[in-house]
Amino acid sequence: APPPRQEYLSAHGGFTNAFTATEDTNVYFEVDAGALRGALERFSHFFKTPLFSEGATDRELRAVDSENTNNLQADKWRLYQLEKATANPAHPYHKFSTGNLKTLGKPGLREALLAFHDRYYTTPLMKLVVTGREDLDTLERWVAEDFLGVKGGAADTPPAKHLYGVPMHRPEDLGRRVLAVPVKERRSIDLAFPVPLWDTPEAGRYAKPTNYLCHLIGHEGPGSLHALLNKRGWINGLTAGSAFRGDEGAVVKVGMSLTESGMEHLEEVLDLVWEKINMVREMVATAPQQWVFEEMAAMASFQFRFREQGDPSGFASGLSGQLDNGYPPEEVFSGPSQFDDWRPDVLQKFAAALTPANCQLQVVSSSFREQAAAEGWAEEHWYGTQHKLVPFTAEEAARWGGGPRGHPELALPGPNDFIPRDFSLRCDTDAGAAAAAAAAADADAAEAEAEREAPPTLVVAGAGRNATDAAAGMEVWAKLDRTFRVPKATLVLHLGCGQDGWYASPWAMSAARLYTKMLKEELKEYAYDARVAGLRWSVTAEPEGLQLLVSGYSDKLPVLARRVAQAFRQVLDRCAALEGPAPAEGEGGPEAAARRKARAQFEKHRQAMLKDYANFEVEASYQRAMYYARLALEQDAWHISEYAAAVRSPRCTPAAVARTAAAVLGRTQARAFVHGNAGGAEAAALAAEVAAALRLEEAAPLPEGEAKEWRRGALPA
């Protein structure tokens, strides 16, 4: 039978989970609000009087071993352990990260667990967060009553901070490439740089040095490293950020997923990466830009101010970890969002760490398999990952560390035009909304709740299909938010198709997916600033049609929504013009160069889809089982091999995708829903602009009875 704690949580709509990171363990639970008191009492017993019974210990041991077995062919775990294996052998980070039956299944395991619990599960080393609907005095009293028996500190209690006395990386562990062979079809590079900590005000806690540097290196707008590499068809994505933070240091990473062409031009990719890093390093050393810091501070401030509630367990779990990061109690919530200290000296110290001598470069490629077999590459001890260590040559170190050379297509980002300025709430400023709010305030609680739960309003009926209609035949629903009271809104647009639409054949659905990938490609540079400023957009291809979602701060949301809608038709027109082979390299003028670029981008996405389909064969067994269960339940489902055949076919060209997309979008059922900080008139106006950009007046209406229906079957008992 489950332990009383788990039994109680299950009976009250709850759950419990835990994870162990490099330097801490985080245990959390969630339960129905009315059952918090009982759950908290049961939760406390694990820390006061754990059983660690022989049966439970054995079950957990086998669960750990089973999880490790499932991860043996997972590149995420294999490459993570390879990072650890190539660190300083004298540092704990070098060790095996998860454990298995061989490392843990030894005599005296229960006694070892009890001794570990007795040493580390003590009040000086623990942080507790409780979130509930009760007042703070009540929650504090419950904690005092339930956790009174947790062991306090003793003479042998370890220090709260982990101090190892040796660096995580020695000089000989850096300044080199780590070549690795993945299980799946994969090509990627990661540049890892050990950097100092910034955990005190003196060290730069409020200067946020890694945020500043990674914002500039990882930017995806015009003039960025991402834009240049993407334009050349060499990457699928780029990231820059803090990858590890411990008590004695941190690691910053710049990572890229490469295309086949990118792997073929690996040395050129690396030269451009270092060019961008050197550009940022030189700027910080000679003329640090305070306006960049102030812009980041403004965005962090309003994003904290208007942060919405997440799930309680995620909030409590995250905050408990944050309590260990050194912020004073009054800044536990706001500390990570505080950019209060412009410190060029701190930036210069961190930027100085971004050098070839302080870098470990991991290069992962399926193309290494034959070379690894022929040369007999080493195998990592725990996962067997084939790898080879290659120190940077003197010429590479000099070239990459020699400063920027002024590449004409690389520049630092300019000001972000998507930063919102208007945070007013329509429910307070709109006359009709204010009257409704006043009426709700005079009503009793039940009436107020009913008003909040009122369904959306149909603001445009969508009848007819001519240019004089407000939204060109689009049906528009709207609901003004009066509950959450944040200056944000969401637009959801559904372009429904018929039975002969996107799911009519494997080719049609493949065309839809390629079309949405090209859409995202079209807007990647433009929409990056919007994403940084708290706006999001997505487009998904579903059997029933295309769904567009734009969300974020209502002040700038219409600007992004209009541009996304314009891109729908621009991508169609551009793909339609790519009939026939692309011009040869060096042939023609700017128009021919643009055609070559567009064909290369299309081919990048086609190859990425084929890679994903090929990788399906090496997914974990449970993932494949879930896939086949879905196939058995869904009506008219296409198999992944049929999609792969469609994408691999010579028929798969940009012009063919455009023809298919134009035919499906030419008969559509358009519905929009606007929710949040937007009134009915604003919703109708926004929908009209989006409809005009989509040229919906040119589309034929799709009769209600012809809309695609999605059905699932029930297996016989």
Side-chain angles (χ1 to χ4, degrees), residues 449-457 479 482:
E449 180 66 21
E451 193 278 330
R452 283 194 296 271
E453 296 297 323
T457 302
K479 181 171 173 61
R482 297 188 182 92

Side-chain angles (χ1 to χ4, degrees), residues 185-402:
E185 187 70 20
R186 175 180 177 140
R187 294 167 295 273
S188 64
I189 58 174
D190 285 287
L191 293 85
F193 302 91
V195 296
L197 274 185
W198 59 100
D199 58 341
T200 65
E202 296 73 26
R205 175 188 292 161
Y206 304 109
K208 304 293 191 289
T210 58
N211 299 61
Y212 184 96
L213 296 171
C214 292
H215 168 70
L216 296 174
I217 295 170
H219 203 277
E220 297 180 12
S224 66
L225 173 65
H226 180 281
L228 176 56
L229 294 175
N230 191 54
K231 184 189 302 181
R232 296 190 178 184
W234 290 348
I235 63 168
N236 292 311
L238 182 151
T239 59
S242 178
F244 169 82
R245 178 173 173 174
D247 286 344
E248 284 192 324
V251 173
V252 164
K253 267 191 185 180
V254 180
M256 276 143 280
S257 169
L258 302 181
T259 62
E260 286 187 24
S261 178
M263 197 66 209
E264 292 168 1
H265 294 84
L266 175 63
E267 301 309 315
E268 294 167 78
V269 170
L270 290 171
D271 284 349
L272 289 171
V273 172
W274 284 105
E275 172 75 6
K276 183 67 175 189
I277 291 173
N278 290 333
M279 176 187 291
V280 172
R281 199 173 62 206
E282 182 180 74
M283 179 273 287
V284 169
T286 59
Q289 302 295 299
Q290 187 171 355
W291 73 265
V292 175
F293 182 81
E294 290 171 348
E295 190 176 82
M296 296 177 69
M299 289 188 286
S301 175
F302 68 69
Q303 288 175 7
F304 174 77
R305 176 183 171 193
F306 299 113
R307 184 172 61 182
E308 297 177 69
Q309 291 185 356
D311 64 280
S313 60
F315 172 79
S317 173
L319 189 58
S320 66
Q322 202 158 290
L323 286 168
D324 215 23
N325 286 344
Y327 289 104
E330 64 273 15
E331 295 178 3
V332 167
F333 292 104
S334 63
S337 301
Q338 289 181 238
F339 287 68
D340 297 342
D341 196 7
W342 170 242
R343 292 277 302 279
D345 60 315
V346 171
L347 293 178
Q348 290 160 1
K349 178 181 178 182
F350 277 73
L354 307 182
T355 64
N358 192 49
C359 173
Q360 184 174 105
L361 168 63
Q362 187 182 83
V363 184
V364 181
S365 177
S366 311
S367 63
F368 290 152
R369 288 195 181 102
E370 291 185 7
Q371 181 184 352
E375 297 178 1
W377 286 11
E379 294 187 359
E380 189 276 322
H381 178 72
W382 299 106
Y383 290 84
T385 304
Q386 291 180 292
H387 64 282
K388 180 180 181 180
L389 306 179
V390 183
F392 295 159
T393 66
E395 189 275 332
E396 287 173 337
R399 186 171 80 247
W400 293 338

Side-chain angles (χ1 to χ4, degrees), residues 573-585:
D573 295 344
R574 189 173 299 118
C575 287
L578 295 176
E579 195 75 69
E585 193 67 39

Side-chain angles (χ1 to χ4, degrees), residues 559-584:
V559 179
L560 179 61
R562 282 193 298 269
R563 180 65 187 91
V564 171
Q566 290 166 0
F568 268 69
R569 288 295 174 177
Q570 290 172 343
V571 169
L572 270 187
D573 295 344
R574 189 173 299 118
C575 287
L578 295 176
E579 195 75 69

